[in-house]
Amino acid sequence: MKPRVAIFCSGRGSNMEALIKAAGSANYPAEIALVISNKVDAPALEFARGHGVRAQAVESKPFGRDREAHERAIDAVLAAENIQIICLAGYMRLLTPFLVEKWRDKMLNIHPSLLPAFPGLDTHARALAAGNRLHGCTVHLVTEIMDDGPILAQAAVPVLPGDTEAELAARVLAQEHLIYPAALAAFASGRPVWASASAALQNPLP
Protein backbone atom coordinates (compact mmCIF):
# COMPACT_ATOMS: atom_id res chain seq x y z
CA MET A 1 0.00 0.00 0.00
CA LYS A 2 1.09 3.55 -0.63
CA PRO A 3 2.08 5.53 2.48
CA ARG A 4 -0.58 8.00 3.56
CA VAL A 5 0.57 11.61 3.62
CA ALA A 6 -0.79 14.63 5.48
CA ILE A 7 0.02 18.15 4.29
CA PHE A 8 0.06 21.05 6.74
CA CYS A 9 -0.84 24.52 5.36
CA SER A 10 -1.78 27.89 6.78
CA GLY A 11 -2.82 29.74 3.63
CA ARG A 12 -3.23 28.99 -0.05
CA GLY A 13 -0.66 26.21 -0.12
CA SER A 14 0.68 26.28 -3.67
CA ASN A 15 3.15 23.52 -2.80
CA MET A 16 0.23 21.53 -1.43
CA GLU A 17 -1.47 21.96 -4.81
CA ALA A 18 1.63 20.66 -6.57
CA LEU A 19 1.78 17.62 -4.29
CA ILE A 20 -1.90 16.79 -4.74
CA LYS A 21 -1.67 17.13 -8.51
CA ALA A 22 1.41 14.91 -8.66
CA ALA A 23 -0.20 12.30 -6.43
CA GLY A 24 -3.15 12.14 -8.82
CA SER A 25 -1.00 10.01 -11.10
CA ALA A 26 -1.68 6.31 -10.64
CA ASN A 27 2.01 5.47 -10.42
CA TYR A 28 2.85 8.10 -7.79
CA PRO A 29 4.18 6.19 -4.75
CA ALA A 30 2.33 8.11 -2.03
CA GLU A 31 -1.30 8.99 -1.27
CA ILE A 32 -2.21 12.51 -0.16
CA ALA A 33 -4.82 11.49 2.39
CA LEU A 34 -5.26 14.61 4.51
CA VAL A 35 -4.73 18.37 4.52
CA ILE A 36 -4.62 20.13 7.87
CA SER A 37 -4.63 23.86 8.53
CA ASN A 38 -4.49 25.88 11.72
CA LYS A 39 -6.88 28.35 10.05
CA VAL A 40 -10.48 27.48 9.27
CA ASP A 41 -10.58 29.89 6.31
CA ALA A 42 -7.34 28.74 4.66
CA PRO A 43 -7.90 28.47 0.86
CA ALA A 44 -5.86 25.26 0.89
CA LEU A 45 -8.74 23.43 2.56
CA GLU A 46 -11.18 24.13 -0.26
CA PHE A 47 -8.63 23.20 -2.91
CA ALA A 48 -8.01 19.88 -1.20
CA ARG A 49 -11.71 19.10 -0.86
CA GLY A 50 -12.22 19.96 -4.51
CA HIS A 51 -9.65 17.30 -5.38
CA GLY A 52 -11.20 14.63 -3.19
CA VAL A 53 -8.75 14.97 -0.31
CA ARG A 54 -10.04 15.13 3.24
CA ALA A 55 -9.28 18.57 4.70
CA GLN A 56 -9.66 19.65 8.29
CA ALA A 57 -8.95 22.78 10.27
CA VAL A 58 -7.52 22.34 13.74
CA GLU A 59 -7.58 25.94 14.85
CA SER A 60 -4.76 27.17 17.01
CA LYS A 61 -6.59 30.13 18.59
CA PRO A 62 -8.63 28.07 21.11
CA PHE A 63 -5.36 26.71 22.55
CA GLY A 64 -3.89 30.15 23.21
CA ARG A 65 -0.18 29.88 23.93
CA ASP A 66 -0.27 26.15 24.58
CA ARG A 67 1.29 25.06 21.28
CA GLU A 68 1.85 21.50 22.45
CA ALA A 69 -1.84 21.04 23.29
CA HIS A 70 -2.68 22.23 19.78
CA GLU A 71 -0.22 19.77 18.29
CA ARG A 72 -1.61 16.93 20.39
CA ALA A 73 -5.04 17.66 18.91
CA ILE A 74 -3.50 17.54 15.43
CA ASP A 75 -1.66 14.33 16.26
CA ALA A 76 -4.94 12.70 17.25
CA VAL A 77 -6.32 13.50 13.79
CA LEU A 78 -3.18 12.08 12.16
CA ALA A 79 -3.54 8.86 14.16
CA ALA A 80 -7.22 8.53 13.27
CA GLU A 81 -6.33 8.86 9.57
CA ASN A 82 -3.40 6.42 9.76
CA ILE A 83 -0.96 9.03 8.46
CA GLN A 84 2.63 7.91 7.92
CA ILE A 85 4.34 11.00 6.44
CA ILE A 86 3.84 14.74 7.01
CA CYS A 87 4.69 17.42 4.45
CA LEU A 88 4.85 21.02 5.66
CA ALA A 89 3.74 23.40 2.90
CA GLY A 90 3.49 26.97 4.11
CA TYR A 91 2.56 25.98 7.66
CA MET A 92 3.20 29.18 9.61
CA ARG A 93 3.55 27.69 13.09
CA LEU A 94 6.72 26.93 15.01
CA LEU A 95 6.60 23.28 15.99
CA THR A 96 7.24 22.10 19.53
CA PRO A 97 9.58 19.24 20.48
CA PHE A 98 6.50 17.05 20.96
CA LEU A 99 5.52 16.93 17.30
CA VAL A 100 9.08 17.06 15.96
CA GLU A 101 10.11 14.06 18.05
CA LYS A 102 6.88 12.16 17.42
CA TRP A 103 7.37 12.49 13.65
CA ARG A 104 11.17 12.46 13.46
CA ASP A 105 12.35 11.14 10.08
CA LYS A 106 8.74 11.22 8.85
CA MET A 107 8.22 14.98 8.41
CA LEU A 108 9.36 16.92 5.33
CA ASN A 109 9.60 20.66 4.76
CA ILE A 110 10.40 22.86 1.79
CA HIS A 111 12.45 26.00 2.32
CA PRO A 112 13.07 28.81 -0.21
CA SER A 113 16.86 28.87 -0.14
CA LEU A 114 19.81 26.62 -0.83
CA LEU A 115 20.32 25.47 2.74
CA PRO A 116 22.39 25.86 4.79
CA ALA A 117 22.31 29.38 3.37
CA PHE A 118 19.55 31.69 4.64
CA PRO A 119 17.52 29.66 7.12
CA GLY A 120 14.46 31.45 8.46
CA LEU A 121 12.50 34.26 6.83
CA ASP A 122 13.04 36.80 4.02
CA THR A 123 15.32 34.46 2.09
CA HIS A 124 14.95 36.14 -1.30
CA ALA A 125 15.72 39.62 0.02
CA ARG A 126 18.72 38.25 1.91
CA ALA A 127 20.05 36.47 -1.18
CA LEU A 128 19.81 39.68 -3.19
CA ALA A 129 21.42 41.73 -0.43
CA ALA A 130 24.29 39.25 -0.23
CA GLY A 131 24.92 39.52 -3.97
CA ASN A 132 24.45 35.79 -4.55
CA ARG A 133 24.59 34.57 -8.12
CA LEU A 134 22.63 31.41 -7.28
CA HIS A 135 19.56 30.97 -5.12
CA GLY A 136 17.00 28.19 -4.90
CA CYS A 137 15.03 25.86 -2.66
CA THR A 138 15.55 22.82 -0.46
CA VAL A 139 13.44 19.88 0.68
CA HIS A 140 14.65 18.55 4.01
CA LEU A 141 13.62 16.47 6.99
CA VAL A 142 12.42 18.44 10.00
CA THR A 143 14.50 18.45 13.18
CA GLU A 144 14.45 20.49 16.36
CA ILE A 145 16.72 23.09 14.72
CA MET A 146 14.83 25.25 12.24
CA ASP A 147 15.71 24.58 8.58
CA ASP A 148 18.60 22.33 9.58
CA GLY A 149 17.49 18.74 8.90
CA PRO A 150 18.99 16.27 6.40
CA ILE A 151 18.58 17.44 2.82
CA LEU A 152 16.50 15.38 0.40
CA ALA A 153 16.67 17.57 -2.71
CA GLN A 154 17.63 21.02 -3.92
CA ALA A 155 17.07 23.11 -7.03
CA ALA A 156 19.12 26.17 -7.96
CA VAL A 157 18.07 29.19 -10.00
CA PRO A 158 20.26 32.04 -11.26
CA VAL A 159 19.98 35.47 -9.71
CA LEU A 160 19.63 37.74 -12.73
CA PRO A 161 20.87 41.33 -13.01
CA GLY A 162 18.18 43.71 -11.82
CA ASP A 163 16.13 40.98 -10.16
CA THR A 164 13.51 42.16 -7.71
CA GLU A 165 12.57 40.11 -4.68
CA ALA A 166 9.23 39.21 -6.31
CA GLU A 167 10.85 38.10 -9.57
CA LEU A 168 13.38 35.92 -7.78
CA ALA A 169 10.70 34.47 -5.51
CA ALA A 170 8.56 33.49 -8.50
CA ARG A 171 11.48 31.74 -10.15
CA VAL A 172 12.25 29.82 -6.98
CA LEU A 173 8.59 28.92 -6.41
CA ALA A 174 8.38 27.31 -9.84
CA GLN A 175 11.23 25.01 -8.81
CA GLU A 176 9.60 24.28 -5.45
CA HIS A 177 6.57 22.93 -7.29
CA LEU A 178 8.85 20.52 -9.16
CA ILE A 179 11.18 19.25 -6.47
CA TYR A 180 8.72 18.79 -3.60
CA PRO A 181 6.63 16.15 -5.40
CA ALA A 182 9.82 14.50 -6.68
CA ALA A 183 11.43 14.48 -3.23
CA LEU A 184 8.30 13.06 -1.60
CA ALA A 185 8.15 10.35 -4.27
CA ALA A 186 11.77 9.40 -3.61
CA PHE A 187 11.25 9.44 0.15
CA ALA A 188 8.04 7.39 0.00
CA SER A 189 9.78 4.85 -2.24
CA GLY A 190 12.53 4.36 0.29
CA ARG A 191 15.33 5.80 -1.81
CA PRO A 192 18.42 6.95 0.14
CA VAL A 193 18.30 10.41 1.69
CA TRP A 194 20.97 12.73 0.32
CA ALA A 195 23.06 13.94 3.23
CA SER A 196 24.37 17.18 1.80
CA ALA A 197 23.55 20.01 -0.54
CA SER A 198 26.37 19.07 -2.89
CA ALA A 199 25.11 15.50 -3.18
CA ALA A 200 21.62 16.73 -3.95
CA LEU A 201 22.84 19.00 -6.72
CA GLN A 202 24.98 16.25 -8.24
CA ASN A 203 22.16 13.72 -8.18
CA PRO A 204 18.99 15.45 -9.38
CA LEU A 205 15.71 13.65 -8.93
CA PRO A 206 14.29 12.02 -12.10
Side-chain angles (χ1 to χ4, degrees):
M1 292 181 61
K2 296 180 180 181
R4 290 169 60 81
V5 178
I7 305 175
F8 288 15
C9 304
S10 291
R12 174 189 165 205
S14 68
N15 275 303
M16 173 215 64
E17 295 180 9
L19 290 169
I20 288 176
K21 289 175 181 177
S25 172
N27 62 356
Y28 194 80
E31 175 191 356
I32 308 301
L34 178 68
V35 169
I36 283 183
S37 179
N38 61 305
K39 297 182 178 180
V40 70
D41 59 349
L45 297 174
E46 284 308 309
F47 180 91
R49 291 170 184 141
H51 285 74
V53 177
R54 185 185 169 195
Q56 181 171 340
V58 182
E59 289 192 272
S60 51
K61 283 185 178 180
F63 295 90
R65 296 184 179 180
D66 194 341
R67 293 187 291 129
E68 183 175 322
H70 177 237
E71 290 177 359
R72 288 185 180 276
I74 290 173
D75 193 58
V77 177
L78 300 175
E81 290 297 316
N82 192 29
I83 297 301
Q84 292 146 300
I85 299 171
I86 295 173
C87 287
L88 305 181
Y91 188 64
M92 305 306 291
R93 297 274 295 176
L94 289 175
L95 300 179
T96 73
F98 164 74
L99 202 66
V100 171
E101 286 300 319
K102 182 74 179 288
W103 290 89
R104 180 173 290 275
D105 298 327
K106 301 175 184 176
M107 185 187 301
L108 284 63
N109 183 49
I110 189 157
H111 181 73
S113 80
L114 292 173
L115 292 173
F118 309 123
L121 301 175
D122 302 320
T123 60
H124 310 305
R126 289 158 66 195
L128 289 171
N132 283 24
R133 296 178 64 184
L134 281 178
H135 189 42
C137 50
T138 303
V139 180
H140 66 95
L141 292 174
V142 175
T143 65
E144 64 278 2
I145 301 174
M146 183 177 64
D147 301 328
D148 192 55
I151 290 170
L152 304 182
Q154 291 188 308
V157 302
V159 180
L160 303 178
D163 255 347
T164 65
E165 183 179 347
E167 289 168 341
L168 183 56
R171 200 176 306 120
V172 171
L173 187 62
Q175 292 303 309
E176 291 180 36
H177 295 165
L178 296 176
I179 70 163
Y180 209 175
L184 174 59
F187 184 77
S189 299
R191 300 179 199 170
V193 172
W194 293 324
S196 69
S198 61
L201 290 169
Q202 291 167 13
N203 297 276
L205 288 167

